[in-house]
Amino acid sequence: MELLDGKLVSAKIKEDIAAEALDFFNKNGRKPHLVAILVGNDGGSETYVASKMRNCEKVNFQSSLVRYDDHVSEEEVLQKIREINADETVDGLIVQLPLPKHIDPEKVTETIDYRKDVDGFHPINLGRMMRNLPCFIPATPYGIMLMLEYYQIETSGKHAVVVGRSNIVGSPMSILLARNSQPGNCTVTLTHSRTKNLPEFIKQADIIVAAIGKKNFVTADMVKDGAIIIDVGINREQSSETKSGYKLFGDVDFENVASKSSWISPVPGGVGLMTIVGLLKNTLKSAKKEIY
Ligand code: GUN
């Protein structure tokens, strides 16, 4: 078994991003700039956004955080998005999900200028991704592709089983793995909570992408010997063992699955760190106008 080490890979790629951002600053007199909008006080979202902002500083980006409490109206958020869309000093804009129930995430996503949509959630970016055109790719799937690329993992012709069909991870991941590119050229099965005999599908996988949001969902008996395992789960549980007061668990029972796998990503220290890299790379591409 070998580790898909998000800590190592993200650190290496961030070094390159930091150098490119410095170069951008020297040429343009400003840093690449990411703005995040955070609504409410969801513990997970607070942590992720804080980490995104911190990482921006580390790679010589400017970052700005716009915060609202839970009761902000949908229109106020949309108005802010329009204002940021028009601000030429902003390269990337993300609105952290989930949002409170009275705010429609579809409206929010479609209001973000697709040219600043560094989360890659806008229908124009998703549509362009389907057609293999230049676009912003959603950060988590993008980060996973970068990790596969870093380790030069041969994916062509392999059977990838994606578990979970979310707009953010599972659905775009299935498209990227099936695309005619390296990494890519997989035969993909996209499974979800309604899939009948789900373990039977997972057992056939050469590559498993677990993104269903259930702690230790993928167990050793579901895994074929030598499978490549990518764990996207970030399941938070309260714990007195850690300083932060919570502990993270993946969607894969790492302890029992690892020895059966050829490659496996840990949680924490795996895909989560690569998501940030995907976001930073998209923001840099936006600043450099490499896509639009
Ligand atoms: N919530 C969970 N993952 C993400 C992400 O990648 N981007 C945003 N905006 N919200 C999220």
Side-chain angles (χ1 to χ4, degrees), residues 37 45 48 52 94-98 119 121 138-140 168-169 275:
I37 297 179
S45 293
Y48 307 144
K52 289 170 185 179
I94 62 171
V95 178
Q96 190 65 25
L97 304 174
D119 257 333
F121 295 166
T140 301
I168 293 180
V169 184
T275 294

Side-chain angles (χ1 to χ4, degrees), residues 20-32 91 284 287-289:
E20 280 193 60
L22 206 56
D23 186 53
F24 179 86
F25 176 78
N26 290 332
K27 286 184 178 139
N28 299 277
R30 69 171 188 87
K31 296 174 173 181
D91 303 296
L284 184 64
K288 292 171 82 173
K289 306 221 176 301

Side-chain angles (χ1 to χ4, degrees), residues 30-249:
R30 69 171 188 87
K31 296 174 173 181
H33 184 190
L34 175 69
V35 177
I37 297 179
L38 174 61
V39 183
N41 303 296
D42 177 74
S45 293
E46 296 244 11
T47 312
Y48 307 144
V49 169
S51 174
K52 289 170 185 179
M53 302 286 99
R54 207 169 45 242
N55 274 280
C56 278
E57 307 306 323
K58 280 192 195 150
V59 298
N60 306 318
F61 287 10
Q62 184 184 345
S63 66
S64 307
L65 175 59
V66 180
R67 290 203 67 149
Y68 292 106
D69 74 28
D70 270 330
H71 304 295
V72 66
S73 70
E74 182 181 84
E75 188 46 38
E76 192 171 343
V77 175
L78 296 180
Q79 199 44 45
K80 185 50 124 183
I81 293 171
R82 291 183 199 109
E83 191 186 301
I84 297 167
N85 284 343
D87 183 342
E88 285 178 9
T89 69
V90 175
D91 303 296
L93 168 59
I94 62 171
V95 178
Q96 190 65 25
L97 304 174
L99 289 162
K101 284 203 171 55
H102 67 280
I103 301 179
D104 178 358
E106 302 302 334
K107 258 194 209 166
V108 165
T109 302
E110 293 205 38
T111 301
I112 295 173
D113 185 333
Y114 68 93
R115 293 165 299 188
K116 296 191 180 188
D117 168 41
V118 289
D119 257 333
F121 295 166
H122 192 287
I124 290 180
N125 280 312
L126 290 175
R128 290 177 66 90
M129 182 180 74
M130 290 285 297
R131 306 198 54 154
N132 223 341
L133 295 168
C135 64
F136 295 118
I137 291 169
T140 301
Y142 186 19
I144 292 169
M145 297 304 272
L146 290 168
M147 182 127 88
L148 293 171
E149 193 179 306
Y150 178 87
Y151 286 104
Q152 297 184 336
I153 289 175
E154 181 56 72
T155 58
S156 183
K158 292 198 168 144
H159 182 199
V161 173
V162 178
V163 189
R165 59 180 156 185
S166 70
N167 290 326
I168 293 180
V169 184
S171 296
M173 195 69 233
S174 67
I175 289 158
L176 290 172
L177 286 170
R179 279 203 318 197
N180 182 2
S181 61
Q182 169 59 32
N185 286 316
C186 291
T187 304
V188 177
T189 302
L190 179 56
T191 67
H192 45 78
S193 56
R194 303 280 180 94
T195 300
K196 280 189 188 153
N197 303 323
L198 181 51
E200 295 307 314
F201 284 100
I202 300 175
K203 265 183 218 168
Q204 294 172 39
D206 303 311
I207 301 172
I208 300 167
V209 179
I212 197 151
K214 291 184 185 154
K215 176 185 168 186
N216 296 346
F217 182 83
V218 175
T219 49
D221 56 304
M222 298 180 197
V223 175
K224 183 165 87 175
D225 276 333
I228 296 160
I229 297 169
I230 296 158
D231 190 349
V232 187
I234 306 184
N235 305 294
R236 286 159 55 96
E237 280 189 5
Q238 286 195 327
S239 164
S240 55
E241 287 170 40
T242 61
K243 219 165 58 184
S244 59
Y246 65 87
K247 211 172 159 184
L248 294 183
F249 294 90

